[in-house]
Amino acid sequence: MSSTKPRRLTPKGEQTRQRIVVAAAQLMFDRGVAATTVEDVRDAARVSNSQVYHYFTDKNALIRAVIAYQSDTIVGAQEPMFARLDTVDGFRAWRDFLVAHQRQMHCRGGCPLGSLGSELAEVNPIARADVATAFRRWESGVRSGLRSMAEAGRLDPAVDPDKLATATLAALQGALLLTQLQRDTAPLEATLDTMIDHIASRTRPAPDGAPVS
Amino acid sequence: MSSTKPRRLTPKGEQTRQRIVVAAAQLMFDRGVAATTVEDVRDAARVSNSQVYHYFTDKNALIRAVIAYQSDTIVGAQEPMFARLDTVDGFRAWRDFLVAHQRQMHCRGGCPLGSLGSELAEVNPIARADVATAFRRWESGVRSGLRSMAEAGRLDPAVDPDKLATATLAALQGALLLTQLQRDTAPLEATLDTMIDHIASRTRPAPDGAPVS
């Protein structure tokens, strides 16, 4: 990401850059990338043209920074819960967090990363690759708990924990879209409950002598 | 939808209108709604300005017609398979069809309805409601087979077929997005296989004397 983030910034420079990224992320979340101009971002961040172009060579650089910011924000907020995804209770706590967040948002906006990916995939190959990378990071958070369960002998050996992690993230993404479209958390709840029921039905007590996860 | 489709059109008028809708759907699929102007659609459909405005009062009317067209096309293509979603084999045939379609598309474009929904949900409330309706139609195709299984006693009574249908459609949508971002059908395959494994694990032979579905 060297093209979007200069190596050394003063604390004040870092702060200004961050203000620009946060303003851009909010505008792109509210109205989409295509409808957000560099001038809109400049005004929303209360900076000058030359300040924006000091940190970002063009709109594409700004888009990459927004994807990185959303990846850090979204995956970062879930990290404490990822650490507990080696138990069904941990999955239920994660589910409750995700549903509560959508309620707080009044089901508006969907997933910021999913929306960026959907809008940019066919028109901006670099952004597509960046969003794919962000989803791999998210997926690895879900996967590590499932792998721990498998290693401890607490997951049906017929189940591939990596494929289950992919399916869980996919189900979450689609459910966030349906929840956004219907302005109702019911699809999110039904989908995550179904995935968790499936995971629960594939778990078993740790066998004697198995490594403790 | 009376605002988007005049009641009576001559066959030639219907043909012209359809040519405009198909051109608009293709442009919006390729580059998004925001980047598609009425003039782009006019040129792609090889019609005049006055022809476009004869059938569509404005871009919003065109957007609604594109959503209706994608709903008919996507749900219509799956209808022969929906009729078989009362068996696990039927689900596997549907899965194979969806994966083959993504292969044929080289994993480009994702789901046209999902992309329209994601782009328009926060900026166009009427389009958001139209896409939500299209997804309900799609969901009902998945649901009817699961309800038949439940009525015939071939589904675990603890499973709500309606919630399972919602989860299956959500998982499919998210998987199509991951497949689009990664340019690889692996997420779609892993996700649908997981959902079908789950459905299979909740099915049972028809009990004696149960109604035949």
Side-chain angles (χ1 to χ4, degrees):
Chain A
M1 291 258 180
S2 62
S3 67
T4 64
K5 191 165 185 174
R7 291 288 161 84
R8 285 160 189 280
L9 289 177
T10 62
K12 194 165 143 59
E14 184 54 60
Q15 218 170 33
T16 305
R17 183 186 181 281
Q18 183 70 0
R19 199 161 80 231
I20 296 167
V21 173
V22 171
Q26 187 65 48
L27 287 169
M28 291 174 184
F29 181 71
D30 289 340
R31 54 173 90 157
V33 178
T36 300
T37 66
V38 174
E39 290 69 36
D40 295 334
V41 174
R42 175 199 65 196
D43 295 345
R46 289 166 289 109
V47 294
S48 66
N49 256 337
S50 65
Q51 277 176 302
V52 176
Y53 287 107
H54 174 69
Y55 297 102
F56 303 98
T57 50
D58 55 16
K59 185 174 169 181
N60 280 334
L62 201 47
I63 291 169
R64 297 194 72 182
V66 166
I67 295 167
Y69 166 78
Q70 292 290 16
S71 175
D72 288 345
T73 305
I74 294 169
V75 179
Q78 294 173 80
E79 252 153 23
M81 273 146 285
F82 288 156
R84 294 185 53 213
L85 294 188
D86 58 344
T87 64
V88 173
D89 281 350
F91 271 96
R92 292 200 208 284
W94 180 53
R95 173 254 192 233
D96 290 346
F97 165 84
L98 294 165
V99 171
H101 179 69
Q102 286 304 310
R103 287 226 178 88
Q104 200 188 338
M105 298 292 292
H106 303 286
C107 302
R108 289 180 187 276
C111 171
L113 268 177
S115 301
L116 287 165
S118 180
E119 181 175 352
L120 296 168
E122 304 310 322
V123 295
N124 187 329
I126 292 169
R128 178 183 63 72
D130 282 356
V131 177
T133 300
F135 273 116
R136 280 199 200 91
R137 184 178 162 197
W138 193 344
E139 191 174 335
S140 85
V142 180
R143 188 171 54 217
S144 77
L146 291 168
R147 279 190 182 172
S148 295
M149 289 171 77
E151 280 156 21
R154 290 187 288 106
L155 197 67
D156 178 342
V159 173
D160 179 333
D162 295 8
K163 287 184 180 170
L164 188 52
T166 303
T168 303
L169 179 61
L172 168 58
Q173 276 301 307
L176 287 170
L177 176 61
L178 295 183
T179 279
Q180 176 185 20
L181 291 169
Q182 296 181 19
R183 298 291 194 233
D184 187 337
T185 57
L188 182 61
E189 296 177 53
T191 302
L192 292 177
D193 287 346
T194 298
M195 287 308 299
I196 295 170
D197 282 353
H198 178 65
I199 293 167
S201 75
R202 292 297 191 272
T203 59
R204 42 178 65 179
D208 287 346
V212 176
S213 73
Chain B
M1 292 261 178
S2 61
S3 68
T4 65
K5 192 166 183 171
R7 291 288 163 84
R8 284 159 188 279
L9 288 177
T10 62
K12 193 166 146 55
E14 184 55 60
Q15 218 169 34
T16 305
R17 183 186 181 282
Q18 182 70 359
R19 199 163 77 233
I20 296 168
V21 173
V22 171
Q26 187 64 48
L27 287 169
M28 291 175 184
F29 181 70
D30 290 339
R31 53 174 89 157
V33 178
T36 299
T37 66
V38 174
E39 291 68 36
D40 295 333
V41 174
R42 175 199 65 195
D43 294 346
R46 289 165 289 110
V47 294
S48 66
N49 256 338
S50 65
Q51 278 177 301
V52 176
Y53 288 107
H54 173 70
Y55 297 103
F56 304 98
T57 49
D58 55 16
K59 186 175 169 182
N60 279 335
L62 202 46
I63 291 170
R64 297 194 72 181
V66 166
I67 295 168
Y69 167 78
Q70 292 290 15
S71 175
D72 287 345
T73 305
I74 294 169
V75 180
Q78 295 173 81
E79 251 153 25
M81 273 147 285
F82 289 156
R84 294 186 53 214
L85 294 189
D86 59 345
T87 65
V88 172
D89 280 351
F91 271 96
R92 291 200 208 284
W94 181 54
R95 173 256 193 231
D96 290 346
F97 165 83
L98 294 165
V99 171
H101 180 67
Q102 286 305 309
R103 287 227 177 88
Q104 200 188 338
M105 298 293 292
H106 304 284
C107 302
R108 289 181 186 276
C111 171
L113 268 178
S115 302
L116 287 166
S118 180
E119 181 175 353
L120 297 168
E122 304 311 321
V123 294
N124 187 329
I126 291 170
R128 177 183 64 70
D130 281 355
V131 177
T133 301
F135 274 115
R136 279 199 199 91
R137 184 178 162 196
W138 193 342
E139 192 175 334
S140 84
V142 180
R143 188 170 54 217
S144 78
L146 291 168
R147 280 189 180 172
S148 295
M149 289 171 76
E151 281 158 19
R154 289 186 289 107
L155 199 66
D156 179 344
V159 173
D160 179 333
D162 295 8
K163 287 185 180 169
L164 187 51
T166 302
T168 303
L169 179 61
L172 169 58
Q173 277 302 308
L176 286 170
L177 176 61
L178 295 182
T179 279
Q180 177 185 19
L181 291 169
Q182 297 180 19
R183 298 290 193 234
D184 187 338
T185 58
L188 182 61
E189 295 178 52
T191 302
L192 292 178
D193 288 345
T194 299
M195 288 308 299
I196 295 171
D197 282 354
H198 178 66
I199 293 167
S201 74
R202 292 296 191 273
T203 59
R204 43 180 65 181
D208 287 345
V212 176
S213 71

